[in-house]
Amino acid sequence: MVEAKSSPRDPVATPQPVGGLLSPHQTGTPLIALDGVTKAFPSGDDVVVVLHGITLSIFTGEMVAIIGASGSGKSTLMNILGCLDRATSGTYLIGGRETGSLDPDELAKLRREHFGFIFQRYHLLSELTSIGNVEVPAIYSGVTPAGRVARASMLLTRLGMADRLEYPPGKLSGGQQQRVSIARALMNDANVILADEPTGALDHASGEEVLAILTELNREGRTVILVTHDMAVARRANRIIEISDGRVVSDSPVDHSTDAPVGGQAAEAMSAATVTASQGGLHAWRAAFDRFGEAFKMALMSMRAHGLRTFLTMLGIIIGIASVVAVVALGEGSREKVLAGISNLGTNTLEIFPGLNYGDLRSGKVQTLKLADALEIARQPYAAGVAPTVTLSTTVRLGSLELSAQVNGVGAEYFSVKGTQLAAGQYFTDNSVTHMTQEVVIDDNTRAALFPAAKLSPVGQIILIGKVPATIVGVLQKQLTGFGNSTSLSVYLPYTTVQARFTGSSTLRSILLLVSDDTDSTLAEQAATKFLIARHGVLDFFIMNNDDIRQTITATTDTMTLLIAAIAVISLVVGGIGVMNIMLVSVSERVKEIGVRMAVGARRSDILQQFLTEAVLVCIVGGILGIMLALLAGQIFAALGSSFTFVYSATSIIGAFAVSTLIGIAFGYLPARSAAQLDPVVALERE
Ligand code: ADP
Ligand code: MG
């Protein structure tokens, strides 16, 4: 026999005597009691009244046919009976309980636990197999996946569909589809079967089988309500209620004494199906998790079904996320690179230049900084070391080649503090500075100009700088700073050599001041400024504090990153709107599916969850692809030997992931809610 699975809080079961709702006996309380039920549909400014005060009672265990001409209101009545729709006025009691005050979720619970629907057009979900379709009601009632599959295949097997378990509806005949829908109606062990023209789309033989199954289900004790316009079908019931123009015009029992015996194989098979409801119930949170899993599966299925559309929708998210991650990585990369260049100088380095700013410096005519300044500053308590530099322009010559170059007179420590890299040879030393040696370090541009044959190492060669011969001791690597590619040639000599052999003067291009460890660089900057003003009488120099440079660069790159990231965020929002748009399309395309799910007992939250999951999934997958694209871009740039460096931070990647999830939730919510708020009967009728 059918098992009761009503909880004590069940609005139907509570007032029932033991066995009440499911009792095969006609006790005092009818299972279904309509009193003066009317239904009116708004039609323009008017209303069309379809049901005019229907009053009838149906008792547990009855098999009732509702017959009437097309358009007489049978389906409207059936939808009210099945709690898919509400009466406009009048009362509808199920097991003595008023249904008018139940909220949509309570109605869904009633449909889920007590009603099984069989429709003329089957209303199967085309993307699911037979088993998948039969399982759906049990997903919403919280049966374990294993329990669902077992019961669905048992029901289908009993209905003669054992060899069609994995077929999608499109590959089944009408009669077979109707059997699947009968199995679905029985999945939650419904005690009331509502069949609206169940044979209307079937050939005679299939129709007979379906009717035989319904008769058998009634014999098991289920209440069967059958809607038809065909008297031959109606006569299979034990009672016929005829309606015409929304009114009950007759209600009479059927005398079966003269009937020929009926009941085919299917019906006999069904008798054994007397469903030992093997519903392994789940804990509430497990059930919720399971429903989420199902929503996830459905989301994947629908994404796959509309692959191209899903991908195009995702593209907005992919591009948005990829650009956010890439831009942040690029910004971080260039910042680190610039800072790495500066950090060789240490925080405690000041650079003193003549003139008032870089504009003055470039003119080359400001000669306010002298060697004496450097020597004096070196004596100050905050100075740990001083490296004067001198520059001048002259020619370098090798054989017949003669090119103009910038000659830099520097200290030996210059290279390490500037962070230059050697391609060949070595730097000159403090000793070279002391002895004014004619040793020269050339940059890559000079090497390329003087020694185009790359294989030949220029170390040891002698070149003429101006009129002074100098031995090449080292070659610098190509500079890859972010400051543009200079094509000018630079050579480096000990500053003592430059002063002695070239300028003869004591004018300096700059003084590199290493501040002692125990002094703050800002304080040292102030002290040095004071000291030099005292010496010169005027402010005719400026000091670059590497700390300031670092801060300026950090601030600049941060601003840039923020700016570009803001643009990327705008593109993400646009992507999100695309997702919302497509989700709205998806909802409107799948209104029917939503109706079917609601008919078998899906709560509004289940529908909301399903569409929200789909939107979030599209965005998360888009986000992951976007992150991968950004990582790939970094790889490609690196492989191409580009000077762009990508430094990916976990924060930006996790942030991008979170943002794409949020976009899915934010832009998926509206379409999902519009799906969840659909009226089940409206949804079901949508073509
Ligand atoms: P039956 O199932 O008996 O053929 P229905 O119950 O489907 O009839 O419909 C009865 C009448 O109600 C028809 O005239 C139909 O046009 C009208 N009707 C049904 N649903 C709606 C609706 N949502 N809005 C307006 N009129 C409706
Ligand atoms: Mg109808």
Side-chain angles (χ1 to χ4, degrees):
M1 237 345 281
V2 176
E3 274 185 8
K5 59 213 160 304
S6 315
S7 71
R9 282 170 303 161
D10 189 311
V12 173
T14 315
Q16 287 291 309
V18 174
L21 184 59
L22 307 155
S23 163
H25 312 291
Q26 299 195 0
T27 58
T29 315
L31 173 60
I32 279 170
L34 299 185
D35 190 5
V37 164
T38 66
K39 181 68 187 178
F41 292 107
S43 159
D45 293 338
D46 238 18
V47 289
V48 187
V49 181
V50 174
L51 298 179
H52 303 268
I54 302 272
T55 300
L56 58 85
S57 297
I58 295 171
F59 288 86
T60 299
E62 280 197 278
M63 178 157 178
V64 181
I66 296 172
I67 192 167
S70 177
S72 55
K74 306 181 298 290
S75 295
T76 307
L77 177 59
M78 184 65 109
N79 290 338
I80 291 174
L81 291 177
C83 294
L84 284 168
D85 206 356
R86 291 173 193 268
T88 309
S89 68
T91 57
Y92 174 23
L93 276 61
I94 301 178
R97 276 289 288 261
E98 173 60 56
T99 58
S101 58
L102 299 179
D103 69 26
D105 277 355
E106 288 169 317
L107 293 175
K109 183 174 161 71
L110 275 180
R111 293 195 294 270
R112 194 160 65 233
E113 297 184 349
H114 297 289
F115 295 110
F117 293 91
I118 300 168
F119 302 97
Q120 178 176 358
R121 290 271 160 213
Y122 331 122
H123 287 347
L124 299 176
L125 304 183
S126 56
E127 63 272 33
L128 298 180
T129 60
S130 299
I131 269 216
N133 269 287
V134 176
E135 272 187 83
V136 174
I139 293 169
Y140 300 120
S141 61
V143 180
T144 58
R148 288 201 306 257
V149 170
R151 183 171 167 81
S153 48
M154 183 273 285
L155 286 168
L156 284 166
T157 305
R158 298 278 163 89
L159 286 165
M161 295 285 291
D163 54 346
R164 296 284 188 279
L165 296 183
E166 300 297 336
Y167 280 51
K171 290 191 174 162
L172 298 175
S173 71
Q176 289 170 331
Q177 291 190 56
Q178 197 59 299
R179 284 161 193 247
V180 174
S181 98
I182 293 172
R184 181 177 64 190
L186 294 172
M187 187 63 189
N188 281 352
D189 212 2
N191 46 295
V192 183
I193 303 292
L194 298 165
D196 190 350
E197 306 268 14
T199 60
L202 300 179
D203 60 73
H204 184 73
S206 308
E208 275 304 315
E209 283 178 359
V210 166
L211 289 173
I213 293 166
L214 290 177
T215 308
E216 192 50 44
L217 291 174
N218 176 242
R219 238 174 251 159
E220 288 170 6
R222 289 175 220 269
T223 308
V224 174
I225 303 172
L226 171 68
V227 160
T228 181
H229 62 275
D230 180 348
M231 189 43 107
V233 170
R235 284 193 59 81
R236 304 294 285 274
N238 301 318
R239 174 182 166 196
I240 297 179
I241 299 171
E242 188 181 350
I243 58 171
S244 175
D245 287 335
R247 290 184 177 84
V248 175
V249 292
S250 76
D251 185 344
S252 53
V254 178
D255 180 7
H256 283 300
S257 58
T258 58
D259 288 358
V262 288
Q265 288 177 332
E268 262 129 46
M270 204 51 212
S271 65
T274 317
V275 222
T276 23
S278 60
Q279 304 191 355
L282 291 171
H283 282 299
W285 68 269
R286 275 279 288 127
F289 186 76
D290 183 53
R291 287 208 300 278
F292 173 74
E294 289 303 319
F296 189 79
K297 253 200 318 215
M298 285 309 301
L300 279 182
M301 226 177 259
S302 116
M303 281 166 70
R304 208 170 337 135
H306 303 284
L308 181 64
R309 191 171 79 186
T310 306
F311 176 73
L312 291 176
T313 309
M314 260 181 208
L315 211 52
I317 304 293
I318 295 174
I319 293 170
I321 290 288
S323 45
V324 171
V325 173
V327 160
V328 170
L330 199 57
E332 184 59 25
S334 49
R335 193 171 68 102
E336 278 191 9
K337 189 190 274 179
V338 172
L339 289 182
I342 301 169
S343 72
N344 284 321
L345 300 168
T347 42
N348 272 2
T349 311
L350 304 178
E351 230 171 331
I352 307 166
F353 295 98
L356 289 175
N357 54 46
Y358 275 119
D360 274 357
L361 187 67
R362 283 195 197 97
S363 76
K365 294 200 171 99
V366 187
Q367 304 196 335
T368 50
L369 216 53
K370 305 287 183 192
L371 184 61
D373 292 328
L375 298 177
E376 281 304 313
I377 274 197
R379 290 217 194 98
Q380 300 302 309
Y382 47 80
V386 162
T389 68
V390 232
T391 56
L392 65 120
S393 291
T394 182
T395 56
V396 290
R397 260 190 289 164
L398 179 74
S400 59
L401 264 178
E402 181 167 332
L403 300 157
S404 63
Q406 163 151 311
V407 176
N408 301 279
V410 297
E413 55 278 71
Y414 175 88
F415 300 103
S416 65
V417 294
K418 281 288 184 190
T420 56
Q421 304 280 321
L422 274 175
Q426 58 195 49
Y427 299 120
F428 50 77
T429 61
D430 279 331
N431 205 31
S432 320
V433 176
T434 317
H435 292 102
M436 298 182 232
T437 59
Q438 279 149 260
E439 291 174 314
V440 64
V441 173
I442 63 173
D443 73 349
D444 188 67
N445 288 337
T446 313
R447 180 204 56 77
L450 293 183
F451 307 93
K455 293 237 173 67
L456 201 67
S457 173
V459 173
Q461 304 263 3
I462 293 172
I463 54 174
L464 271 182
I465 300 171
K467 293 191 181 78
V468 182
T471 312
I472 297 172
V473 292
V475 181
L476 298 183
Q477 278 181 14
K478 201 173 176 68
Q479 282 286 92
L480 285 179
T481 60
F483 297 123
N485 277 332
S486 167
T487 50
S488 63
L489 314 183
S490 289
V491 299
Y492 301 85
L493 291 157
Y495 75 92
T496 46
T497 313
V498 174
Q499 284 183 324
R501 305 275 174 174
F502 296 92
T503 59
S505 82
S506 58
T507 306
L508 298 181
R509 181 186 180 262
S510 71
I511 300 170
L512 203 59
L513 173 64
L514 296 163
V515 180
S516 61
D517 279 344
D518 51 356
T519 314
D520 178 75
S521 67
T522 313
L523 292 179
E525 183 181 346
Q526 286 164 0
T529 307
K530 232 190 204 156
F531 175 79
L532 283 178
I533 288 179
R535 274 179 63 84
H536 295 188
V538 284
L539 181 70
D540 54 4
F541 59 93
F542 66 100
I543 300 182
M544 293 299 293
N545 184 334
N546 288 316
D547 243 5
D548 294 347
I549 299 174
R550 190 193 316 275
Q551 278 164 19
T552 310
I553 287 168
T554 304
T556 313
T557 54
D558 282 357
T559 311
M560 285 301 292
T561 304
L562 207 66
L563 197 73
I564 304 174
I567 294 168
V569 164
I570 291 170
S571 86
L572 275 179
V573 170
V574 174
I577 292 170
V579 170
M580 177 153 73
N581 192 16
I582 284 304
M583 288 311 297
L584 283 170
V585 170
S586 173
V587 168
S588 68
E589 269 181 0
R590 287 154 68 195
V591 165
K592 191 101 173 202
E593 176 195 326
I594 296 164
V596 172
R597 289 178 181 276
M598 285 177 157
V600 302
R603 301 158 191 80
R604 289 185 156 187
S605 59
D606 292 324
I607 302 295
L608 183 89
Q609 187 180 46
Q610 183 185 332
F611 284 90
L612 203 53
T613 305
E614 191 174 326
V616 170
L617 204 59
V618 166
C619 291
I620 286 182
V621 173
I624 290 172
L625 290 178
I627 290 168
M628 278 160 51
L629 189 66
L631 294 175
L632 188 71
Q635 293 287 310
I636 290 174
F637 272 93
L640 293 179
S642 155
S643 60
F644 293 111
T645 323
F646 289 71
V647 175
Y648 298 96
S649 68
T651 327
S652 76
I653 288 176
I654 292 168
F657 191 77
V659 164
S660 55
T661 309
L662 279 178
I663 286 173
I665 293 171
F667 290 94
Y669 181 75
L670 192 76
R673 204 191 57 156
S674 76
Q677 295 200 330
L678 280 169
D679 195 346
V681 72
V682 173
L684 265 178
E685 277 163 11
R686 190 86 59 88
E687 281 311 321

